[in-house]
Amino acid sequence: MDDDELLDLVDSNDHVVGSVMRSVTSNPHEGYLRASELFIQNDKGQLWIPRRHPAKRIAPSGLDYSMGGHVGHGETYMEALIRETKEELNLELKPDRLSLIKKFGPTGELRYFRSVYLYKSNQAPNYNPDDFTEFYWLTPQELMHKLEAGEPAKLSLLETAQYLVDGL
């Protein structure tokens, strides 16, 4: 993971207003960041949910999206998704195999615009062991139950899982 990657800083309308190094994004008044997130879903409606490596700075040992990553400087959400999926899951995806689930805006302490995508596959990816330690195939409802029971996870995963349970 490169903590010094250059990221676009956006305003409340998701328009680029500047850039910032990832390692110095702690000032919440500067603007918002962008992230792309992906769920892999099998034919049974289950999501491929990995557990983050314990050495991760954010949500160590927590549940995660099938893939999630920052949108880099000058990148689109889709470009970031394809790059990060290759890095984390060793998958080379094509845009026409991906569906946008929803674009979430910033909320509370989560200062990101997040575009969440869906990729259909029955095969577990050959994930990077520096990113993840294990995985589960879970329905959105099973994921919600784990999160509501206090399972550690990325902060935004609960909001997204609730959206999936309610509307996917």
Side-chain angles (χ1 to χ4, degrees):
M1 178 193 309
D2 182 5
D3 281 341
D4 282 334
E5 65 185 313
L6 188 62
L7 306 174
D8 285 335
L9 201 57
V10 298
D11 64 16
S12 60
N13 295 310
D14 197 13
H15 296 125
V16 176
V17 294
S19 58
V20 63
M21 297 304 288
R22 179 177 174 173
S23 60
V24 292
T25 58
S26 59
N27 184 346
H29 303 291
E30 293 176 355
Y32 304 97
L33 298 175
R34 294 172 164 163
S36 284
E37 298 159 337
L38 174 74
F39 283 117
I40 297 172
Q41 185 180 50
N42 66 21
D43 289 342
K44 297 177 184 176
Q46 298 167 313
L47 306 172
W48 186 83
I49 303 295
R51 182 169 305 281
R52 293 170 61 80
H53 194 280
K56 290 286 193 177
R57 184 176 54 86
I58 297 170
S61 298
L63 299 180
D64 203 349
Y65 297 87
S66 302
M67 184 291 307
H70 288 91
V71 176
H73 176 63
E75 279 185 316
T76 65
Y77 287 97
M78 183 62 71
E79 290 167 341
L81 178 115
I82 289 170
R83 175 183 51 79
E84 290 278 355
T85 302
K86 175 69 174 145
E87 291 172 10
E88 293 182 9
L89 304 180
N90 296 304
L91 285 175
E92 294 191 36
L93 300 182
K94 303 290 183 208
D96 63 347
R97 300 273 324 270
L98 301 164
S99 303
L100 178 65
I101 294 173
K102 181 178 179 179
K103 183 176 178 185
F104 292 85
T107 57
E109 63 183 278
L110 192 63
R111 301 198 48 83
Y112 285 86
F113 281 92
R114 305 179 299 111
S115 286
V116 182
Y117 295 86
L118 185 69
Y119 172 67
K120 300 278 190 160
S121 176
N122 290 315
Q123 186 173 2
N126 180 23
Y127 60 86
N128 183 338
D130 292 335
D131 289 316
F132 307 119
T133 59
E134 62 181 344
F135 67 89
Y136 310 91
W137 285 102
L138 301 171
T139 65
Q141 294 82 359
E142 290 168 333
L143 177 58
M144 275 297 301
H145 290 304
K146 283 186 170 288
L147 297 173
E148 288 173 339
E151 183 78 36
K154 269 193 178 171
L155 184 61
S156 64
L157 193 57
L158 181 62
E159 176 188 23
T160 308
Q162 184 65 57
Y163 178 80
L164 294 176
V165 167
D166 292 344
L168 186 62

